[in-house]
C-alpha cells in the first residue's frame, strides 16, 4: 500500500521537472543513458553475483541465472505478476521503476509534443493509465511498459503543475488536504 502514495509522488515530481528544451530524439538518448544503462549494469551485476550465490546455496545455477535474466527482461517489481517463463515468475525488485519512468517520460513527452488541447492530452493520459493498469492484470509486457503507461498520468499532472505554477500560488486548505 505504500506504493499508492510514494510512487505517484515520484512520478509527479518527475513530470514537474520534465524538460522540453531538446529534440525528442535527444530526449530519448538522454533518458536511455540516465535510466537504462544503470538498469542494465545493475541487472548484469545481479546475474553475475547469482552464480556464486547459487553455488554456495546449493541451488541450480542455470535456474537462478535464468530467473534473473527473465526478471531483468520483464522488470517486474514483485513476483506476483502474470508472467511465467519455464515455471518461473520473474521479478527484479526495486529496479522496476527505472524502465517504468523511462517509458512514462517518453510517452508523456511525445504526447506533449503533439500540442493537443489540455483536455485531449489529459484524455490520452487517462486512456494510457487505464490500458496499462487493466492489461497488467492478465499479462505483463517486457521492460515494465505497462507501469510506464500508468505513470504517464502522474507525469503529465506534474508537468501541468509546473506549467500552471500551482506550487507558486496560494492554495486553499481543501487543495492541500486533497
Amino acid at each position: 500500500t505504500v506504493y499508492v502514495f510514494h510512487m505517484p509522488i515520484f512520478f509527479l515530481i518527475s513530470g514537474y521537472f520534465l524538460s522540453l528544451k531538446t529534440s525528442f530524439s535527444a530526449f530519448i538518448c538522454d533518458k536511455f543513458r540516465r535510466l537504462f544503462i544503470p538498469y542494465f549494469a545493475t541487472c548484469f551485476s545481479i546475474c553475475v553475483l547469482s552464480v556464486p550465490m547459487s553455488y554456495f546455496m546449493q541451488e541450480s545455477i542455470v535456474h537462478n541465472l535464468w530467473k534473473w535474466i527473465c526478471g531483468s527482461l520483464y522488470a517486474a517489481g514483485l513476483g506476483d505478476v502474470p508472467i511465467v517463463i519455464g515455471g518461473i515468475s520473474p521479478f527484479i525488485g526495486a529496479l522496476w521503476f527505472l524502465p517504468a519512468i523511462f517509458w512514462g517520460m517518453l510517452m508523456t513527452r511525445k504526447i506533449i509534443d503533439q500540442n493537443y488541447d489540455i483536455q485531449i492530452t489529459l484524455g490520452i493520459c487517462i486512456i494510457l493509465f487505464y490500458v496499462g493498469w487493466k492489461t497488467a492484470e492478465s499479462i505483463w509486457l517486457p521492460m515494465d511498459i505497462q507501469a510506464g503507461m500508468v505513470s504517464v498520468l502522474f507525469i503529465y499532472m506534474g508537468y501541468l503543475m509546473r506549467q500552471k505554477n500551482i506550487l507558486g500560488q496560494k492554495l486553499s486548505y481543501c487543495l492541500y488536504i486533497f
Side-chain angles (χ1 to χ4, degrees):
T1 59
V2 72
Y3 291 106
V4 174
F5 177 75
H6 84 274
M7 289 317 299
I9 294 294
F10 169 74
F11 292 126
L12 276 168
I13 292 169
S14 297
Y16 188 83
F17 292 106
L18 178 65
S19 175
L20 305 178
K21 293 180 181 177
T22 61
S23 69
F24 186 68
S25 59
F27 183 80
I28 292 171
C29 291
D30 179 60
K31 292 302 172 196
F32 185 86
R33 182 179 54 80
R34 291 174 179 240
L35 297 169
F36 265 123
I37 290 177
Y39 175 77
F40 287 126
T42 305
C43 289
F44 178 76
S45 299
I46 290 170
C47 289
V48 168
L49 291 173
S50 76
V51 172
M53 280 298 282
S54 298
Y55 177 77
F56 289 119
M57 303 286 288
Q58 298 180 350
E59 296 175 351
S60 169
I61 293 171
V62 173
H63 176 79
N64 280 341
L65 186 58
W66 179 246
K67 177 185 82 168
W68 287 113
I69 290 170
C70 291
S72 299
L73 173 66
Y74 278 91
L78 299 171
D80 61 351
V81 295
I83 317 166
V84 177
I85 298 176
I88 303 167
S89 182
F91 65 97
I92 199 65
L95 294 176
W96 70 270
F97 75 91
L98 292 172
I101 194 72
F102 174 81
W103 295 115
M105 294 290 270
L106 260 57
M107 287 183 241
T108 305
R109 170 68 194 266
K110 189 64 176 172
I111 294 166
I112 291 169
D113 284 352
Q114 301 305 313
N115 290 318
Y116 297 126
D117 280 349
I118 190 170
Q119 293 87 1
I120 293 172
T121 304
L122 193 56
I124 293 169
C125 293
I126 290 169
I127 290 168
L128 282 171
F129 175 93
Y130 183 77
V131 169
W133 172 48
K134 290 310 275 184
T135 59
E137 292 176 354
S138 57
I139 189 162
W140 198 268
L141 298 177
M143 288 291 114
D144 224 356
I145 293 171
Q146 286 141 311
M149 292 169 72
V150 169
S151 74
V152 167
L153 180 61
F154 299 106
I155 294 168
Y156 184 65
M157 288 169 47
Y159 173 79
L160 283 180
M161 288 173 63
R162 184 170 181 195
Q163 297 305 307
K164 303 296 182 188
N165 195 23
I166 297 292
L167 299 179
Q169 299 174 7
K170 289 187 177 186
L171 301 175
S172 71
Y173 289 110
C174 293
L175 188 54
Y176 280 122
I177 291 169
F178 174 71

